[in-house]
Amino acid sequence: MFVRLRYRVGAPGVGKGTFAKKISPHYGIPIMSTGDLVRNEISSGSALGAKIKAINDSGNLVGDDIIVEMAEGAMKSVKGGFILDGFPRTIAQAEAAEGFTKLDLVVNLMLPQEVLVEKTVNRRVCNDCGEGFNLANIVRDGMDMPALLPAVPGVCDKCGGDLVQRSDDTEEIVNNRLRVYDDETKPLVEFYRSRNLLTDFKIVKGIADLDRLIAAIDARTN
Ligand code: AMP
């Protein structure tokens, strides 16, 4: 199956990155994550990186012009389909994106707010390869999301690198990111629903929902 493009919307901590990493090999298309582009720019030590570091650290959104330029540049370098992770995040970005790309489907990943906080503050990522883990064990209210623990605490299963908490994953910053999500990003749900591009997807088992997610995507794109 040829999938040209997909976009995943969803609050911080919902698992956008984790699901994207799993469905990318399934469809054989790469991920374009603006969060990764932002973090790469910061670690490159560039003047732009220095400017956006404080914004990233506070959980606020980087300016639309900067992000749109980064996203457009990254998309131009990819031939064929790709998964957008975390872009667009504002109506202005979505309108700009319509000028240079066409989306096949937007997946709205859904989880209750208190679970998002618990999952996000318990997220750990590998400092070297970016592999994700989660220390939170959420088994209640119809949800069955066991922790994704590394075999050895603090050590990445994939490459042996150190597992760290992202600097914007503390409770205070996560709450700010969720406020920003409600104000700036949530309106995109109706924006894409009105274009008949949206599919809502309730997460109940975390990454074990992968097959159900792929079936939901196939049902809308085949
Ligand atoms: P993420 O890894 O997707 O949660 O992104 C981490 C941070 O990068 C966000 O909190 C923002 O500061 C910034 N960022 C990523 N994508 C965007 C976007 N589309 N618009 C604005 N800021 C973004």
Side-chain angles (χ1 to χ4, degrees):
M1 183 181 113
F2 177 64
V3 179
R4 192 174 154 262
L5 189 73
R6 296 204 171 102
Y7 165 60
R8 319 167 68 66
V9 67
V14 79
K16 298 186 295 295
T18 309
F19 279 114
K21 283 194 184 94
K22 298 283 180 194
I23 65 170
S24 163
H26 176 84
Y27 291 111
I29 53 175
I31 302 166
M32 207 284 291
S33 153
T34 42
D36 285 348
L37 293 176
V38 164
R39 284 182 285 278
N40 290 344
E41 191 69 45
I42 293 171
S43 48
S44 78
S46 69
L48 176 61
K51 190 172 148 193
I52 60 183
K53 184 177 185 319
I55 301 171
N56 177 73
D57 286 352
S58 64
N60 291 318
L61 293 184
V62 174
D64 289 331
D65 292 350
I66 296 173
I67 287 288
V68 167
E69 199 180 321
M70 280 181 171
E72 187 174 4
M75 279 188 234
K76 274 188 182 148
S77 67
V78 179
K79 292 211 166 34
F82 49 88
I83 299 161
L84 287 181
D85 172 9
F87 174 85
R89 257 170 154 109
T90 65
I91 295 281
Q93 291 176 19
E95 286 172 347
E98 286 185 326
F100 56 82
T101 195
K102 179 187 162 293
L103 305 183
D104 292 331
L105 184 67
V106 177
V107 182
N108 180 26
L109 298 172
M110 300 161 83
L111 263 180
Q113 174 120 352
E114 76 281 2
V115 178
L116 292 170
V117 177
E118 196 176 336
K119 277 194 74 210
T120 312
V121 299
N122 283 293
R123 172 158 68 180
R124 299 293 179 270
V125 289
C126 175
N127 225 353
D128 295 333
C129 73
E131 185 75 356
F133 297 85
N134 208 297
L135 313 182
N137 196 40
I138 298 160
V139 184
R140 59 173 188 264
D141 305 331
M143 287 174 289
D144 183 10
M145 270 175 266
L148 271 178
L149 299 174
V152 178
V155 180
C156 177
D157 287 352
K158 211 167 145 190
C159 76
D162 288 340
L163 300 185
V164 296
Q165 184 177 37
R166 257 170 56 176
S167 60
D168 58 346
D169 276 350
T170 62
E171 190 160 352
E172 190 192 342
I173 295 174
V174 168
N175 281 322
N176 186 43
R177 288 166 64 203
L178 285 167
R179 270 192 301 275
V180 170
Y181 173 79
D182 280 344
D183 293 346
E184 308 269 0
T185 307
K186 220 172 174 183
L188 289 179
V189 169
E190 293 316 316
F191 179 93
Y192 286 119
R193 202 188 304 283
S194 71
R195 282 158 173 73
N196 199 25
L197 286 174
L198 195 88
T199 193
D200 287 319
F201 187 83
K202 268 195 193 151
I203 295 169
V204 288
K205 293 184 177 172
I207 202 60
D209 288 318
L210 182 66
D211 289 348
R212 198 168 55 88
L213 175 62
I214 288 172
I217 292 171
D218 289 349
R220 284 291 304 264
T221 52
N222 275 330

